[in-house]
Amino acid sequence: MAFRAFYALPVENFSTDTGQHTNAVYGFTSMLIKMIEQREPTHVAVAFDLDTPTFRTQEYAEYKGGRNKTPEEFHGQVDLIVKVMEAMQIPTVTLDGYEADDIIATLSSQAEDAGWEVMVVSGDRDAFQLITDKVTVLYPKKGISDIPPMDSAAVEAKYFVPPKRYSDLAALVGETADNLPGVPGVGPKTAAKWINLYGGVDGILENLDSIGGKVGESLRANVDSVKRNRRLNHLLRDLELPVELEHMVLQHPDRAAIEELFDALQFNTLRKRLFDLFGEEDAVRETEVNAPAHQVVSEAAALKEWLAESNQLNVALQLVAETAEGGDDAVGLALVAHARAAYVPLASLDAEAEQLLAHWLSDLDAPKIVHDFKYAYKVLSRRGFELLGVVDDTAISAYLIQPDRRSYELADLAQYHLKMSVAAPDAAASGQLELGLTEDDKAGPAVVQAFAALQLSEHFAGQLVERGANQLMGGLDLPLSLVLARMELAGIAMDAGALDRLVDDFTVTIDAASSAAFGIIGKEINLGSPKQLQAVLFDDLGLPKTKKIKTGYSTDADALNDLFAKTGNEFLVQLLTYRDATKLRQTVEGLRKTVADDGRIHTTYAQTVAATGRLSSINPNLQNIPVRSEEGRRIREAFVVGEGYETLLTADYSQIEMRIMAHLSGDEGLIEAFRSGEDLHRFVGAHIFGVAPEDVTSEMRAKVKAMSYGLVYGLSSFGLSKQLNISVDEARTLMKDYFSRFGAVRDYLRGVVDQARVDGFTSTIEGRRRYLPDLASDNRQLREMSERAALNAPIQGSAADIIKKAMLGVAQELESQGLKSRMLLQVHDELVLEVAPGEREQVEKLVRAQMGGAADLSVPLDVSVGVGANWQEAGH
DNA sequence: TCAAAGACGTA
DNA sequence: CGTACGTCTTTGAC
């Protein structure tokens, strides 16, 4: 059926961005969903052939011989189908030495014996022999959309023999697809006539001599073929299978697994169809059954008693919050410890209970488990509570175990790891109370969520140890989330007037550039529309074609610069200016919208997004504020020191990734470069080009710099040649020279990928893993992508480890030295702090010490520091 | 209203 | 045919 789907659907219409073909997977899954919908089976299983020899090939080596090679595009799709079946919780069955049809025959017989009604879906006509009054075969007539049921009557109407005689007919006629030649001159009509006359092949063989004519002779000459055909096309019904019928009960799909898989396959419509089919709204809420019943605790005495009884036990805590203007507002707390649960409504607490709660929340000796601690900390802090003593954040645990998941929502994790269905905790959006939902209505789900977090925490504990992530959790990522929470709460002050001026200035540039552009082409178009631009550039102006993309030809900055170099067309200049200025204006307008009432921007750091271990910054993203262009840097001038503070201070690592490369590879040349204190790229350039460091030209230096960084990402000679605008040969020579000077770097890079292939993951210096199963993929594009990720992950991830450790050190030192200064931002290799009056020197000293000492590498960790009234000035 | 595609900002 | 991100706009399908 997978093969049928493959040929029925045009392969070019079904592939993912990464180049994996999916037409067979799509067709198979789509057909299966439709089958389930229409036929409403109670039990389902899918059988597969294996690549290994079967009893048929052993008896007859030419069996199924002469077939064309499986098309390249089909490769890997069967494995994907198996994965889809796993996610749908449908058992897949294979058996060494046998074909899928034998498995089907066996299951079919078993089910029939049990008195069940059976439907066999197969593209192999041999399945017709299974048809009885209980067994129907669905056989595809054309493609995969027309799969009519074949019962006895249908088979007889088509082949003139009853189903149980179909194999006899096939033995006589032969089967080209299986490379089984029949009796020459005997077609279906003759075969059917004989079968009906003598009752089947056995009867025919007994009466060989009474069959006259040419065909009779032909039959007598090919008796052995007929006997062999009959043996081979007979399906076995008594195999020992690894599944029982009761394992085939149709279940709800594994929601999390489906989401992950269909996401990767880009099956959006199918996912919807599948979930609709199973009425996912009605998913069984197992945890609600298992979660302990809760009591509402709002009085001091009851709270005191509840907390005392859970003394020393891990208490899972789940917030009930409502969305509000300046951030979500806490409404209540669900608490679960062991088999006990409580709900604490914040609004109805008396003063004594509130104090009791505040004390417990901030008690370092009262161990708590939270899903998304940073969020809870921030929300509670707005109510004047401080949440401390958290020993596990299940979102972070899940991330460390599986750093490339798409979602770490509690509901998804519970489904995936525990097979529990839990309502998503964000159900408490504002307005729900007004819609008649009482607080009581939310207490229940929150208790279930807390219960799920508790279960997850226990589930993860062993896995963290297994994956060597325990130290990373307790010593790095979990404590860091508290540091991040405080940074987010602090935010960074903005100069509103400066933002307004920037918008005005950029608007002037935009207007000038667009009218100039329109003047040149003689009409007004939307310069922001790549589609309209393509029409102007390649049709109206007739410029040479650029890089091909899905929708035509590229109009990106690279392509436009190329075009300008070739044609000198002034329109391109105006367009690039327009693009630059709109991007900048858009950045500024975005920032302006996110300034809070306190005049500061509070970004949110996502701690479980980047698969390498980096942080990311959202709402807004403060990790991509322009810095490279003059105009862009002006935006940084709007990030200013806040009232009551003396200055901003930035501290960043110089060339941290190359230093990590030097350390991990142990390359003496590279280590020497860093120890010498000489400019890295100059030093490396001197070695590669065989000149003195002072004779390295800026052009040479630029080449070396591009290559050094490219190496960290798995850059190819093709990529390097494009980037440096040189020939591929020249790029190849450059790389060869590089590696001959820094041989240990090459050996290291090669070793990383080899090791990752063996282990299935890469590791950073702190032991943070990234799992790369696609290193074994037979899809080249996927495999090579993973190889590049394997090169990069240990380097980028180690840099992330180091700055995270530094942040913990800085936070710790600021506190223990009793300083008022605070960290505000992290930009991967840079920290931005707000320095309180009189603390500048002390802060600089401790920041240098903590950042410089965050890792013990074989090369020094260089830190440069700058101060100023705004981010631009403080940069260096 | 939503998702995809294209473009582009950072390290 | 260089990794890791987030955000904006246009476009077209529903």
Side-chain angles (χ1 to χ4, degrees):
Chain A
M1 292 307 299
F3 233 77
R4 292 275 180 150
F6 177 77
Y7 284 113
L9 301 173
V11 67
E12 62 271 19
N13 295 352
F14 294 87
S15 47
T16 64
D17 292 340
T18 56
Q20 170 67 55
H21 297 297
T22 54
N23 59 331
V25 191
Y26 183 93
F28 188 93
T29 311
S30 169
M31 178 221 33
L32 181 58
I33 291 172
K34 196 166 152 194
M35 286 288 170
I36 294 173
E37 197 171 42
Q38 289 178 346
R39 311 282 169 187
E40 300 184 330
T42 56
H43 297 66
V44 178
V46 178
F48 288 90
D49 290 339
L50 292 171
D51 288 333
T52 49
T54 66
F55 74 92
R56 293 190 177 88
T57 50
Q58 287 185 348
E59 167 162 357
Y60 178 57
E62 294 83 15
Y63 181 68
K64 289 193 176 177
R67 289 191 174 189
N68 290 332
K69 222 171 132 252
T70 318
E72 170 86 39
E73 293 85 354
F74 189 69
H75 277 304
Q77 294 205 48
V78 170
D79 286 343
L80 289 173
I81 291 174
V82 172
K83 282 188 186 165
V84 172
M85 293 308 106
E86 278 167 12
M88 287 179 72
Q89 312 222 53
I90 290 176
T92 56
V93 196
T94 58
L95 195 63
D96 201 24
Y98 300 91
E99 292 183 69
D101 282 301
D102 299 308
I103 296 167
I104 289 175
T106 302
L107 288 173
S108 167
S109 297
Q110 288 174 3
E112 199 181 357
D113 291 347
W116 296 6
E117 194 184 333
V118 181
M119 279 178 248
V120 171
V121 188
S122 173
D124 190 335
R125 278 190 294 260
D126 286 333
F128 290 153
Q129 65 188 271
L130 303 174
I131 295 174
T132 66
D133 57 341
K134 285 279 184 197
V135 181
T136 310
V137 169
L138 299 161
Y139 180 78
K141 210 183 210 166
K142 181 170 171 282
I144 49 160
S145 46
D146 188 11
I147 311 181
M150 301 286 281
D151 57 10
S152 289
V155 170
E156 267 190 86
K158 189 151 187 219
Y159 300 102
F160 309 106
V161 293
K164 63 175 180 183
R165 294 282 164 240
Y166 177 80
S167 312
D168 293 339
L169 181 129
L172 291 163
V173 174
E175 178 64 75
T176 2
D178 293 340
N179 198 28
L180 295 176
V183 180
V186 174
K189 288 277 170 63
T190 312
K193 190 178 76 187
W194 290 344
I195 289 168
N196 290 325
L197 196 60
Y198 301 111
V201 162
D202 291 343
I204 294 169
L205 295 180
E206 282 164 20
N207 295 285
L208 271 182
D209 296 335
S210 41
I211 300 175
K214 277 265 184 207
V215 281
E217 273 171 43
S218 183
L219 172 63
R220 285 185 286 278
N222 290 284
V223 167
D224 287 345
S225 291
V226 173
K227 284 183 179 165
R228 179 204 59 213
N229 290 355
R230 190 63 192 82
R231 276 197 304 278
L232 293 182
N233 73 14
H234 169 71
L235 299 180
L236 301 184
R237 293 168 179 258
D238 51 3
L239 304 183
E240 292 270 342
L241 295 182
V243 287
E244 312 268 327
L245 291 180
E246 68 240 37
H247 298 148
M248 296 167 42
V249 178
L250 182 61
Q251 298 181 54
H252 272 259
D254 176 343
R255 200 184 168 99
I258 288 285
E259 275 171 6
E260 198 176 341
L261 183 59
F262 280 28
D263 217 42
L265 294 172
Q266 299 169 354
F267 285 175
N268 294 310
T269 326
L270 273 190
R271 177 172 51 203
K272 208 170 280 170
R273 270 175 61 195
L274 182 60
F275 285 154
D276 281 353
L277 172 60
F278 284 94
E280 268 300 295
E281 293 299 311
D282 305 321
V284 187
R285 294 270 156 81
E286 289 173 47
T287 44
E288 287 185 12
V289 181
N290 299 338
H294 67 274
Q295 53 177 126
V296 175
V297 176
S298 54
E299 288 179 2
L303 182 60
K304 193 170 183 175
E305 190 189 327
W306 198 94
L307 293 175
E309 277 180 40
S310 19
N311 187 29
Q312 295 310 312
L313 291 177
N314 283 343
V315 178
L317 181 156
Q318 174 65 46
L319 275 186
V320 172
E322 281 184 318
T323 52
E325 269 300 294
D328 292 357
D329 182 33
V331 174
L333 294 176
L335 306 177
V336 174
H338 251 331
R340 298 168 52 253
Y343 180 77
V344 184
L346 294 178
S348 41
L349 292 184
D350 57 43
E352 196 189 342
E354 192 166 315
Q355 206 193 348
L356 210 60
L357 181 66
H359 176 264
W360 178 77
L361 285 172
S362 63
D363 186 355
L364 290 172
D365 294 325
K368 303 161 195 86
I369 290 164
V370 187
H371 186 84
D372 197 352
F373 158 72
K374 181 155 66 69
Y375 169 79
Y377 181 90
K378 292 204 303 183
V379 171
L380 285 171
S381 81
R382 286 190 203 104
R383 284 256 174 177
F385 296 111
E386 183 164 37
L387 176 57
L388 297 173
V390 171
V391 295
D392 190 14
D393 178 334
T394 43
I396 297 177
S397 294
Y399 169 67
L400 291 176
I401 288 166
Q402 238 186 333
D404 54 0
R405 274 188 78 92
R406 193 176 53 94
S407 151
Y408 295 91
E409 300 272 318
L410 181 66
D412 293 333
L413 294 177
Q415 183 61 247
Y416 182 87
H417 288 282
L418 308 172
K419 311 281 174 248
M420 284 180 179
S421 295
V422 179
D426 63 4
S430 77
Q432 293 230 343
L433 283 181
E434 295 150 37
L435 289 173
L437 215 60
T438 67
E439 199 175 334
D440 268 358
D441 294 331
K442 295 195 213 163
V447 167
V448 176
Q449 287 147 16
F451 179 70
L454 193 62
Q455 302 282 107
L456 276 175
S457 181
E458 284 169 18
H459 179 82
F460 289 153
Q463 287 193 37
L464 282 173
V465 175
E466 247 171 62
R467 302 195 171 209
N470 228 5
Q471 177 54 31
L472 215 45
M473 179 71 193
L476 202 59
D477 284 30
L478 184 59
L480 183 72
S481 63
L482 173 59
V483 173
L484 293 175
R486 289 172 174 161
M487 287 166 65
E488 293 173 13
L489 284 171
I492 186 163
M494 299 302 293
D495 179 344
L499 290 177
D500 294 343
R501 286 192 295 278
L502 283 167
V503 169
D504 292 346
D505 289 358
F506 292 141
T507 302
V508 170
T509 310
I510 291 167
D511 290 347
S514 49
S515 27
F518 297 153
I520 294 166
I521 58 171
K523 61 174 169 181
E524 296 204 358
I525 61 162
N526 185 343
L527 294 174
S529 161
K531 198 183 167 208
Q532 294 178 34
L533 279 175
Q534 283 178 25
V536 167
L537 292 174
F538 307 118
D539 297 341
D540 298 355
L541 296 176
L543 299 179
K545 301 282 193 276
T546 58
K547 191 176 67 176
K548 230 179 161 358
I549 54 173
K550 279 188 189 170
T551 56
Y553 299 95
S554 174
T555 68
D556 69 15
D558 264 354
L560 295 181
N561 279 316
D562 270 2
L563 274 185
F564 181 69
K566 279 188 195 145
T567 67
N569 193 313
E570 177 65 15
F571 175 74
L572 298 167
V573 179
Q574 299 302 335
L575 175 57
L576 283 163
T577 307
Y578 171 88
R579 280 254 179 91
D580 264 2
T582 42
K583 177 77 180 175
L584 292 171
R585 181 174 68 180
Q586 171 186 305
T587 301
V588 177
E589 282 181 329
L591 289 174
R592 210 161 49 162
K593 267 183 253 167
T594 59
V595 177
D597 290 345
D598 60 1
R600 303 174 74 96
I601 291 181
H602 304 265
T603 185
T604 300
Y605 289 102
Q607 217 183 335
T608 59
V609 165
T612 53
R614 273 192 177 179
L615 302 176
S616 76
S617 160
I618 51 172
N619 301 321
N621 181 356
L622 293 187
Q623 290 178 322
N624 70 342
I625 302 304
V627 72
R628 290 174 190 174
S629 73
E630 178 73 31
E631 288 294 283
R633 279 194 291 275
R634 292 181 56 204
I635 298 176
R636 294 196 169 213
E637 292 171 4
F639 291 77
V640 296
V641 59
E643 221 180 286
Y645 289 84
E646 184 180 295
T647 184
L648 289 183
L649 180 149
T650 70
D652 63 55
Y653 286 115
S654 56
Q655 294 141 355
I656 187 167
E657 295 197 344
M658 283 310 290
R659 285 169 199 268
I660 290 166
M661 171 77 94
H663 173 79
L664 291 177
S665 67
D667 187 284
E668 285 304 328
L670 209 50
I671 292 173
E672 171 58 24
F674 283 116
R675 288 198 179 141
S676 73
E678 172 116 46
D679 175 278
L680 174 73
H681 306 305
R682 187 166 289 279
F683 181 100
V684 173
H687 277 78
I688 291 175
F689 294 110
V691 298
E694 58 270 25
D695 293 334
V696 173
T697 65
S698 60
E699 200 185 335
M700 286 154 80
R701 187 180 181 280
K703 285 185 179 182
V704 169
K705 186 177 173 185
M707 185 158 48
S708 288
Y709 278 99
L711 287 178
V712 185
Y713 309 136
L715 184 64
S716 65
S717 48
F718 175 87
L720 186 65
S721 74
K722 260 201 106 179
Q723 193 173 104
L724 295 177
N725 236 327
I726 56 177
S727 73
V728 177
D729 267 353
E730 206 180 327
R732 200 173 289 136
T733 309
L734 209 54
M735 289 179 78
K736 219 183 83 206
D737 291 346
Y738 192 105
F739 282 134
S740 68
R741 282 290 171 182
F742 304 98
V745 171
R746 177 194 49 211
D747 297 343
Y748 163 73
L749 292 173
R750 207 170 280 162
V752 162
V753 179
D754 288 344
Q755 192 62 45
R757 215 172 274 128
V758 173
D759 297 337
F761 58 83
T762 60
S763 297
T764 65
I765 53 177
E766 293 291 332
R768 185 187 305 276
R769 292 182 184 178
R770 175 164 185 190
Y771 293 86
L772 295 163
D774 283 345
L775 284 175
S777 170
D778 52 15
N779 177 320
R780 193 176 114 189
Q781 198 179 347
L782 279 183
R783 186 179 61 248
E784 290 182 345
M785 209 184 278
S786 291
E787 286 169 359
R788 291 192 295 269
L791 292 177
N792 180 252
I795 311 252
Q796 187 181 114
S798 293
D801 289 348
I802 290 172
I803 197 164
K804 282 178 170 178
K805 219 169 150 193
M807 292 168 77
L808 289 182
V810 168
Q812 166 70 42
E813 280 304 303
L814 286 173
E815 189 173 344
S816 66
Q817 295 182 28
L819 298 172
K820 296 241 167 22
S821 303
R822 52 191 184 169
M823 256 187 293
L824 303 183
L825 305 178
Q826 188 252 46
V827 191
H828 307 306
D829 66 356
E830 172 187 10
L831 296 179
V832 179
L833 289 89
E834 200 166 39
V835 180
E839 296 182 355
R840 199 197 64 77
E841 263 181 61
Q842 206 179 340
V843 169
E844 175 172 346
K845 194 171 161 215
L846 80 85
V847 168
R848 282 188 184 279
Q850 292 304 319
M851 286 180 73
D856 188 18
L857 306 185
S858 42
V859 294
L861 272 177
D862 229 35
V863 178
S864 40
V865 174
V867 292
N870 62 58
W871 195 2
Q872 162 59 17
E873 239 179 74
H876 26 265

